[in-house]
Amino acid sequence: MCSVRVGQTLYGIPVTSIVEILGKPAKQPVPLAPGYIGGLVHYRGEVLTTVSLRSLLKMPSHDAVEDILVFEGADGYFGLLVDEVSEVITVLPADFEGNPSTLDDRRKALFAGTYKLSNALLVMLDPERLDPVHLAEAEMA
Amino acid sequence: MERCLTELEERPQDRELLAEIFRSVHTIKGTTGFLGFSRLESLAHAGENLLDLLRDGRLLANANIITGLLALLDILREILGSIESTGQEGQGDDVLMIHRLHALQHDSKEYSATSGNMPAADNFQPASQKKKRIRRTKARNAAAIAPLPGAEIVKSQAETKTIEIYQAEPQAAQMRAAVNTAESTLRVDVDLLNRMMNLVGELVLTRNQILQMVSADANLTMLSRRLDMVTADLREAVMKARMQPVSHVFSKFPRMVRDLAQQLNKRVRLVMEGQETELDKSLLEAIKDPLTHSVRNAIDHGIEMPHQREASGKDPEGTLRLRAYQEGSHVIIEVSDDGGGMKVERIRDKALGCKLITRERAAQLSDRELMQLIFLPGFSTAEAVTNVSGRGVGMDVVRTNVEKIGGKVEIDSHAGKGTTLRLRIPLTLAIVPALIVHSRGQSFALPQGALSELVHLSSEQVQTQVEWMEGAALYRLRGKLLPLVFLGSLLKQQELADEPREVYIAVLNAEGRRYGLVVDGLADPEEIVVKPLSSVLKQIGLFSGATVLGNGEMALILDPGAIATQSNIGMALEGDEPEVVDANLKDGSAEYLLMQSASEHTAVPLNSVLRIERIPRAQMEWLNGVSVLRVDGALLPLKDRTDKDAVASSEGEMTVVVCRDGERHVGVAVTQVLDVASGKPLNEAGTNVATRDAVLLKDKVTSMIDLRQIPALPGSRHQNDQMETWQEDGVVEALP
């Protein structure tokens, strides 16, 4: 699992689903776009729409440049803005547990569960649920 | 085969044509029998029997027989299509069709060609009409690629060998020709071409970035020039690869025109010119519908009934002319008929009837402006709703579709003489010229096609000249109110603190709507590569795409039409710019561009100004004693009216006012552009003759620059095409 940090929390994403990691590229904001859209990034000759994990979690935005994970979604590639990409961690399926029922609905919809690490929890993200197409549909409903 | 059949109607005796049709039907019959498609076989057999009689001269092809054969062709295509998609012939009752073909064999001698359709045909026609539309496209593609008739089956079944055996004997020579072309050509996946186009676009961007960075090193400059050239050539080559002749679209018209004419009991002759003109594949797809619509319109509304035509002294057979040709960076497709033309009064009455305009407004409009009314949604002058046209969805769809791909529609009509509809299509879609504008620190690209002019307002002028009417901002542009849209507030961008500031108004003309878009700043025009946006961002509706600028920055491409819709900008019915100027000229005064050359004030008529540029002096070159500028690969004769001191040096920049003189373009280099002012030419004392050289502007006598005195280029004959490379929409940039 590739681990990324946003705020104080450590999040995990299956390495196999990641197409590419872009280190701190310049992004262009899109006026009038839904709040979770982080902006546009030039990616290999294409225009990459990015989703900001911070705004998805309703965390205050910060000015620092963010790293981008590139995924392949239903509507072509999309990017996920995170504060920082850290290391790749190997986890055991035995350590997995589902979302706790006390979690708020917004987060329940985004998180796939969590892995218990020795010193912290690794919150699993599901790239499919972060796809802007999926998010737009969720917003509609 | 379709082509052959329509040709056969014109020349019923043509043996070769008949033989060709016979051969293709026979091939279908043989192959399908071999492959076990019984439906196809029995149909083809029935058709073959009929054709046999025709070929032996025992029967003469008339309209009925050809209609029957065309209907047969439709059914065959439909079955082929279903084989292609499902591998099955599909269900269907062919008895009616076979019976009809039989009936034609025996009865057509008794039927006269003019007596209308057979009863069976009446039952049959509507059903096949509907299906035809769906199938035709597919079949056409197959037919267009394959040089041999009957090869449609090759595609659907990939049973190439069977067909080759069948045709090897009678068509050996043709086969050899086909093999030769097959060796020199290659079928390429469109996806691959699109990818290539994307990559070339990328290369163009990288080139732009490199060109912007290069300055110091001479070697690097050389290399980058070379890169520039190679990129341009490569782009052209890839674009060429995507080109297809317009005949791909045109070829379906003979059949359509024939069917329509018969349906409406009209007589129409179709003339097609310039079928070899090439256009980008995606554009060709995009114009298919507007063009079909225009052709239907021309036949339904344009060309009159034969007896009406005879009564007005015309050939009872109407002529519909489809003409395609290239003009500069555009392809023009003309649909013209020699029908009744459009009666301006009728258009006006209809527009009033449909409550599209008010009576007061209608009284003010000129004939040409009234003509534009037909592009309004919901407009139709057909007396009755037919199933051909007249449902009120018409010309507005044509215009919207054509404008969507950056084209323009022009209409020209003379009552009693006919109507010409001109579709002006850009050669390519992928790369468009755009003006880069800034709003609240962000860059946006504005397609040049919609841009008609730019107005600069200083921070004080913003306070005084932008007028407000109940929250709606307006600007007086040459005496007319122009609704303004503030880009910053439209996009709900955060206000920057330093108000008030200077702004630019980009006067836009989008889908017949005219408005000013207020932006904070302008950058250079650039050729941008349009990148599609993800579906989530498309929903915002204001952006048509995104692009990467020369400096590596991303910019969203604004959609002028969508902005107008969102801001509730209504249709502007006022005429184009030149008419406004003409109106001014009538009372003797006109508007002039006031300039300073050296210490003297000079002026040129504003309506001849195309644009104003700042160009480094070093770019000026001399040709046989005439100073010239190279612009976009064309030469621009230049008159230098700057300081004598400055002329000698080749440093610094000069301001060049590009003007139109008749058909040629000329440049006037001046020290500074001052203002736009209106004034009257002065009469020489004691005479009524206005001097050509002086004009009273701002209570000062100002000398006029006579554009005609600028020497022509050596050896030039003021050729039109030399100037084609110039942009159609000259941008008048008011410099501070």
Side-chain angles (χ1 to χ4, degrees), chain B residues 350-494:
Chain B
K350 207 77 192 180
L352 288 171
C354 302
K355 299 212 163 52
L356 291 170
I357 53 165
T358 61
R359 197 163 288 278
E360 298 78 50
R361 189 96 187 87
Q364 292 170 2
L365 295 177
S366 71
D367 283 5
R368 228 196 95 190
E369 289 164 346
L370 282 168
M371 213 80 94
Q372 303 297 320
L373 289 175
I374 65 155
F375 291 117
L376 291 179
F379 187 89
S380 170
T381 50
E383 311 282 280
V385 171
T386 65
N387 64 349
V388 180
S389 50
R391 284 187 213 86
V393 256
M395 298 313 290
D396 67 309
V397 179
V398 172
R399 179 159 83 169
T400 320
N401 279 347
V402 172
E403 285 193 357
K404 216 176 266 167
I405 52 170
K408 274 184 184 160
V409 185
E410 292 157 16
I411 194 149
D412 195 8
S413 181
H414 300 282
K417 287 208 184 114
T419 307
T420 300
L421 194 74
R422 219 168 276 121
L423 311 182
R424 187 179 278 269
I425 320 284
L427 274 180
T428 179
L429 254 193
I431 299 172
V432 292
L435 181 75
I436 310 304
V437 299
H438 297 303
S439 173
R440 314 279 153 88
Q442 203 175 337
S443 300
F444 295 93
L446 198 58
Q448 291 255 14
L451 189 66
S452 56
E453 62 184 299
L454 291 165
V455 180
H456 171 252
L457 293 183
S458 67
S459 50
E460 300 93 64
Q461 282 173 316
V462 173
Q463 303 291 320
T464 55
Q465 294 194 6
V466 175
E467 292 166 90
W468 293 84
M469 193 171 126
E470 298 290 325
L474 298 163
Y475 174 73
R476 284 186 213 202
L477 182 70
R478 287 189 285 283
K480 286 202 171 180
L481 287 177
L482 182 77
L484 294 182
V485 176
F486 289 88
L487 186 60
S489 25
L490 180 74
L491 300 178
K492 301 201 176 63
Q493 288 175 306
Q494 275 179 358

Side-chain angles (χ1 to χ4, degrees), chain B residues 192-437:
Chain B
L192 181 64
L193 273 180
N194 287 344
R195 171 121 190 83
M196 271 168 79
M197 196 67 203
N198 263 341
L199 289 173
V200 170
E202 227 18 65
L203 193 60
V204 171
L205 288 177
T206 320
R207 174 202 70 180
N208 288 356
Q209 285 173 20
I210 288 180
L211 287 183
Q212 284 198 357
M213 303 249 294
V214 169
S215 52
D217 195 337
N219 277 332
L220 198 57
T221 315
M222 278 272 290
L223 275 174
S224 71
R225 286 259 166 83
R226 178 130 187 80
L227 176 71
D228 189 16
M229 262 165 52
V230 174
T231 314
D233 285 356
L234 181 64
R235 197 177 94 183
E236 204 168 302
V238 174
M239 253 154 68
K240 256 227 155 79
R242 289 173 53 94
M243 296 290 211
Q244 281 189 319
V246 291
S247 59
H248 284 218
V249 172
F250 274 19
S251 56
K252 74 167 179 174
F253 287 123
R255 169 77 190 271
M256 200 188 98
V257 168
R258 183 191 174 277
D259 284 355
L260 270 177
Q262 240 187 15
Q263 217 177 320
L264 297 164
N265 288 322
K266 291 182 181 177
R267 290 178 59 196
V268 183
R269 192 164 59 94
L270 179 69
V271 181
M272 297 194 288
E273 287 171 32
Q275 296 204 49
E276 68 290 340
T277 314
E278 290 190 320
L279 202 57
D280 190 286
K281 190 178 158 51
S282 54
L283 289 171
L284 215 51
E285 284 297 312
I287 60 159
K288 202 182 258 173
D289 285 345
L291 206 57
T292 311
H293 207 104
S294 314
V295 170
R296 293 172 89 86
N297 254 335
I299 298 174
D300 193 22
H301 303 252
I303 293 175
E304 318 94 316
M305 300 301 280
H307 64 269
Q308 283 173 338
R309 292 184 63 88
E310 269 178 344
S312 49
K314 289 195 249 187
D315 185 349
E317 190 178 51
T319 306
L320 181 72
R321 195 176 291 273
L322 277 174
R323 184 162 168 249
Y325 57 97
Q326 194 175 342
E327 195 185 279
S329 58
H330 285 83
V331 165
I332 316 260
I333 298 182
E334 278 181 4
V335 181
S336 49
D337 63 66
D338 63 347
M342 297 193 301
K343 290 178 198 73
V344 172
E345 301 80 40
R346 232 174 96 202
I347 294 172
R348 187 182 53 212
D349 295 345
K350 207 77 192 180
L352 288 171
C354 302
K355 299 212 163 52
L356 291 170
I357 53 165
T358 61
R359 197 163 288 278
E360 298 78 50
R361 189 96 187 87
Q364 292 170 2
L365 295 177
S366 71
D367 283 5
R368 228 196 95 190
E369 289 164 346
L370 282 168
M371 213 80 94
Q372 303 297 320
L373 289 175
I374 65 155
F375 291 117
L376 291 179
F379 187 89
S380 170
T381 50
E383 311 282 280
V385 171
T386 65
N387 64 349
V388 180
S389 50
R391 284 187 213 86
V393 256
M395 298 313 290
D396 67 309
V397 179
V398 172
R399 179 159 83 169
T400 320
N401 279 347
V402 172
E403 285 193 357
K404 216 176 266 167
I405 52 170
K408 274 184 184 160
V409 185
E410 292 157 16
I411 194 149
D412 195 8
S413 181
H414 300 282
K417 287 208 184 114
T419 307
T420 300
L421 194 74
R422 219 168 276 121
L423 311 182
R424 187 179 278 269
I425 320 284
L427 274 180
T428 179
L429 254 193
I431 299 172
V432 292
L435 181 75
I436 310 304
V437 299

Side-chain angles (χ1 to χ4, degrees), chain B residues 160-177:
Chain B
T160 325
K161 275 185 189 150
T162 344
I163 305 269
E164 272 175 10
I165 294 163
Y166 255 93
Q167 296 186 332
E169 284 303 310
Q171 293 178 315
Q174 234 178 311
M175 279 303 288
R176 233 172 286 133

Side-chain angles (χ1 to χ4, degrees), chain B residues 70-131:
Chain B
L70 283 172
L72 170 71
L73 187 67
D74 286 334
I75 298 198
L76 291 180
R77 274 209 184 129
E78 191 192 316
I79 300 174
L80 284 173
S82 106
I83 291 172
E84 190 176 349
S85 52
T86 63
Q88 297 293 316
E89 280 183 289
Q91 297 298 309
D93 190 12
D94 308 323
V95 181
L96 192 64
M97 187 66 221
I98 292 171
H99 177 77
R100 182 178 167 197
L101 290 172
H102 272 292
L104 280 169
Q105 265 177 57
H106 304 298
D107 303 345
S108 39
K109 280 165 209 152
E110 288 115 69
Y111 273 101
S112 76
T114 47
S115 70
N117 285 345
M118 297 171 57
D122 284 341
N123 299 338
F124 207 84
Q125 202 65 8
S128 68
Q129 286 274 331
K130 257 182 237 159
K131 288 170 193 156

